[in-house]
Amino acid sequence: MTRARLTRLSLGAARRLAIGAQGLASPLPPGRLDVRHLRRAMGHMGLLQIDAVNALARSHLLVLRARMGGTHDALLGLLERSAYARRADERELTEYWGHEASFVRVADWPLFGWRMRRGAAGDMWSGYARFGQANQPKISAALDWLDANGPASAGEVDAAMDWGPGVRGPWGTRSNGKLALAWLFWAGRVGVADRAGFVRRYDVIERVLPSEVVEAAVDEPDAHRALLTDAARCLGVATADDLIDYHRLPKRIAPARIAELVESDQLTEVAVEDWDRPGYVPAGQRSARRRSRSVLLSPFDPLVWYRPRAERLFGFHYRIEIYTPKAKRQYGYFVLPFLHDDALVARLDVRFDRERDMLEVPASWAEPGSWPSSASASADTLAALASELQALSAWCGGEGVSVQSRGDLADRLRTAVSGADC
């Protein structure tokens, strides 16, 4: 690190700050992974978004792989032990609404008390709020049943309570048990005790988390300031919108909290090359010097999950196409950005064929303006991408990589992968 105070940043320096803050420039830990490595990764990210899409692997495991390496099964086991340990006081992580559904650090759970209180008062997703307004007796009955019998899934609660048909909504019919537990989870009355596959099993919060965590009270302004400070540390450099989005804070209130953090010297305002708005860095932040590793990122990785930031920071226009009809997809179903030499230089549609034990790349695209122009740099980038694909295949338990013909990078990448196989 240099000793100069940051007041103006080149775009390259801003990228290095962002990449370094997220733990994507540090060497991967050697040897067997343990809870210390997970703590370090969570220290870089603050939280870990959960997503059910499994075209390759669960997104949150891909996010951890990018920072921890290891194997798929080792990461999954470590994450499950940390989030669903039998004893509440042994849990490092728990589930809550952070940046969407997320794993958050147990110590940070009280910082979301404001969201729980607002939720209980009706400020939550409209379907949950309507159910809560009309069905408090059912919600109380579900909580009492869990207290006496938990942990349990929504299906088990439905079967025990015999509530009959569910509630129709834009995402189909949801059972009364699912809605009651979703309301209680948002309001902080229940937590996720464990999962059976990808099905949540809930219990009363007093058995999920230690009593000192459940009983801790943080008022709303202090919680917002703490979450904004944590977001600034995890992002390295960020606009106000970036900071607000990280924990999905109230857009009308959070700008005033940011101004307070600047006034108290906890955040420093900086000018970033080509940005049309101020950036903010944690007080005392220094220039980052280490360059990024070469790694494929989940679409829900914190480095790219806020699409305006990905475009502002990397010139990377990114829209997830999972819910786009196949014929209308531009790039593919599950598209991973490739981080290399401090830039997002390519995007690949990737899936794992579990019958063939093969990592498939249906489409691969070089990123205009970021892919190296010189022949030697292009060859080095292809070699790094081919190596990363081989490593990703092995991480999934695969035996190779199959590059298909779609995309302007496909032919060159297939040749590079074939060379890496030799």
Side-chain angles (χ1 to χ4, degrees), residues 306-335:
Y306 187 48
R307 309 312 187 202
R309 173 177 165 82
E311 190 159 2
R312 189 186 327 109
L313 194 59
F314 295 102
F316 191 80
H317 181 75
Y318 194 27
R319 296 293 182 269
I320 195 164
E321 298 180 286
I322 289 172
Y323 304 109
T324 302
K326 184 175 180 179
K328 295 183 178 181
R329 290 175 193 147
Q330 182 178 2
Y331 295 109
Y333 176 78
F334 194 66
V335 176

Side-chain angles (χ1 to χ4, degrees), residues 66 222 252 268 282 302 364:
D222 285 344
R252 292 183 179 180
T268 300
S364 47

Side-chain angles (χ1 to χ4, degrees), residues 224-300:
H224 288 169
R225 283 188 287 265
L227 291 171
L228 287 164
T229 302
D230 193 53
R233 182 184 55 77
C234 294
L235 291 170
V237 58
T239 67
D241 287 345
D242 302 337
L243 295 174
I244 293 166
D245 176 77
Y246 206 80
H247 297 98
R248 300 292 169 86
L249 300 183
K251 294 182 179 179
R252 292 183 179 180
I253 298 172
R257 303 287 87 85
I258 293 172
E260 291 165 2
L261 291 169
V262 173
E263 179 67 23
S264 63
D265 293 327
Q266 296 178 69
L267 293 181
T268 300
E269 186 174 308
V270 296
V272 180
E273 177 187 9
D274 293 336
W275 286 14
D276 62 356
R277 63 202 70 185
Y280 300 92
V281 299
Q285 179 75 280
R286 305 298 179 185
S287 300
R289 305 176 77 177
R290 185 178 286 154
R291 300 183 80 82
S292 73
R293 287 184 283 104
S294 299
V295 63
L296 286 159
L297 302 175
S298 162
F300 306 105

Side-chain angles (χ1 to χ4, degrees), residues 152-223:
S153 67
E156 290 170 323
V157 171
D158 272 313
M161 307 304 290
D162 192 25
W163 277 331
V167 179
R168 289 192 59 81
W171 296 98
T173 299
R174 295 194 174 189
S175 72
N176 286 281
K178 187 175 184 66
L179 288 167
L181 291 172
W183 191 97
L184 287 165
F185 177 71
W186 196 304
R189 312 283 174 77
V190 304
V192 179
D194 56 37
R195 284 180 180 260
F198 209 67
V199 176
R200 286 169 164 170
R201 298 180 75 239
Y202 297 87
D203 204 351
V204 293
I205 197 65
E206 290 81 7
R207 287 198 293 260
V208 173
L209 299 178
S211 58
E212 63 270 20
V213 173
V214 175
E215 295 167 6
V218 183
D219 69 23
E220 185 163 316
D222 285 344

